[in-house]
Amino acid sequence: MTWLLVMIGAAVGAPLRYLTDQRVRARYATPIPGGTFLVNVVGSLALGLLTGAALAGAAGSRWQALLGTGLCGALTTYSTFSYETLHLAETHHRRLAVANVVATLLVGLAAAFAGAALGRALWG
Amino acid sequence: MPDPHHPTTDGPDPEPSPAPDSGPAPDPHPAPDPHPDWGSVSGLGPGVAPDTDRPGAAGARAAAPGAPPPAEPPPPVAPHGARAAGEPAPLPPFLGRPRAGTRWRVLAVVAAGGALGASARYGAGLLWPTEPDAFPWTTLGVNVVGCALIGVFLVVLQEAWQAPPLVRPFVATGVLGGFTTFSTYAVDVERLVHDGEVTTALGYLALTPLAALTAVWGAAAGTDRLLAGRRAPA
């Protein structure tokens, strides 16, 4: 059952990531992988919120499987982030590669911290 | 994912008819380079979309109405690995919106792949559970393995395997994208900090990107070398 919830969440999260990336690319012609950045930040914020809610007892394990492990887990990605960074570095965009890592880590973590704080405040 | 409506095609966008190449301006490339650069590859997600219009195909189509071939001469047959040493690659081209049917099929395989990948990640968590205040080795392992696999996969796709168009979105965007996770990483760091495990948090914070980038780089470079060795004359 839990397994199924994870799959359902992921079956929504992964296409959302794909669509976001496509949209961002369509709008901005830049080598910066903004779509991946965006989904990672939004997913971290959402998972932070959910975790805050879960700690407060407001989100049970099923919600965590569906929205956390499934949706947020599949919405965000480390493999694409890494590969895009490598690609930047190998195509003479080394500074952008470094910036991509720094920005993703900083903003992604800030989003997770903010989401968790908000979750605790709302449901704690 | 078989589509009952198109039982015979193996991809969302059957190769465009060869006609474009026989236009008034003969294509200097006998076969449009399917791998102009890593750009299209890196666009995992979107690069994917383009399966409709893989760079080569798109170029051919754009040229169809009789436009002269691109001004710059074709690069000398790029030996694989050339990209590493190579010229600045063009930015990933945004290649128009895929046809509606194609788009749905890409979304479907991305969803299916994502479900598979996330299940595998969930399974790894069940096999190797992490204590709340412990170093999240399982998530680290999942992310590093996923990064190594995407490095291998995309280089193989780039240099050695003309895969059907849906393969890349399924594997790279779907399975590996769903398998690896950034949000769990970020929230685990937060949780460790919140629980007072600051040293563990900092270690995890730093080790994951280092290991992930090393994995993707090592896997891509290693695969590149292997393929190069295979192709080199004995």
Side-chain angles (χ1 to χ4, degrees):
Chain A
M1 178 62 188
T2 310
W3 214 295
L4 190 65
L5 290 172
V6 170
M7 290 181 87
I8 293 170
V12 174
L16 264 180
R17 167 164 44 81
Y18 169 77
L19 289 173
T20 305
D21 201 36
Q22 264 207 322
R23 284 229 145 177
V24 169
R25 261 167 219 271
R27 187 157 299 184
Y28 307 101
T30 145
I32 300 167
T36 305
F37 173 80
L38 188 63
V39 291
N40 278 342
V41 169
V42 171
S44 298
L45 181 75
L47 188 63
L49 260 177
L50 183 73
T51 307
L55 284 177
S61 63
R62 290 190 173 180
W63 284 109
Q64 289 183 59
L66 180 73
L67 301 178
T69 312
L71 183 70
C72 292
L75 175 67
T76 62
T77 173
Y78 227 99
S79 50
T80 304
F81 161 64
S82 299
Y83 195 86
E84 285 173 342
T85 302
L86 175 69
H87 174 64
L88 283 174
E90 294 207 332
T91 52
H92 303 262
H93 293 105
R94 293 197 177 192
R95 286 186 181 189
L96 280 182
V98 174
N100 187 44
V101 173
V102 172
T104 301
L105 293 182
L106 274 182
V107 183
L109 282 171
F113 274 79
L118 193 61
R120 289 191 190 99
L122 284 178
W123 291 285
Chain B
M1 178 159 297
D3 181 337
H5 302 300
H6 299 79
T8 56
T9 58
D10 61 351
D13 190 18
E15 284 298 319
S17 70
D21 283 348
S22 56
D27 189 339
H29 318 255
D33 178 9
H35 316 306
D37 71 306
W38 274 28
S40 54
V41 171
S42 94
L44 303 176
V48 160
D51 33 36
T52 333
D53 1 41
R54 276 175 300 162
R61 259 181 272 166
E72 71 268 28
V77 182
H80 46 261
R83 52 171 179 68
E87 63 288 357
L91 305 182
F94 173 68
L95 309 154
R97 186 172 281 254
R99 287 199 311 260
T102 304
R103 193 176 174 78
W104 283 111
R105 276 199 262 176
V106 172
L107 285 176
V109 297
V110 167
L116 259 180
S119 304
R121 171 163 43 81
Y122 176 65
L126 293 181
L127 274 178
W128 301 288
T130 305
E131 294 299 314
D133 286 346
F135 191 98
W137 287 110
T138 304
T139 305
L140 175 70
V142 161
N143 279 335
V144 170
V145 167
C147 288
L149 290 177
I150 208 167
V152 172
F153 175 73
L154 287 177
V155 170
V156 166
L157 213 58
Q158 180 85 0
E159 301 183 5
W161 182 30
Q162 282 273 21
L166 287 178
V167 169
R168 187 169 64 190
F170 176 70
V171 176
T173 311
V175 176
L176 296 176
F179 183 57
T180 61
T181 173
F182 184 88
S183 52
T184 307
Y185 158 73
V187 169
D188 277 349
V189 171
E190 193 279 337
R191 182 179 47 77
L192 288 168
V193 169
H194 188 258
D195 292 348
E197 304 287 338
V198 177
T199 315
T200 309
L202 287 178
Y204 181 57
L205 168 65
L207 189 58
T208 299
L210 279 178
L213 288 169
T214 306
V216 74
W217 171 78
T223 308
D224 202 40
R225 284 204 149 193
L226 272 178
L227 294 174
R230 247 187 27 179
R231 262 182 243 169

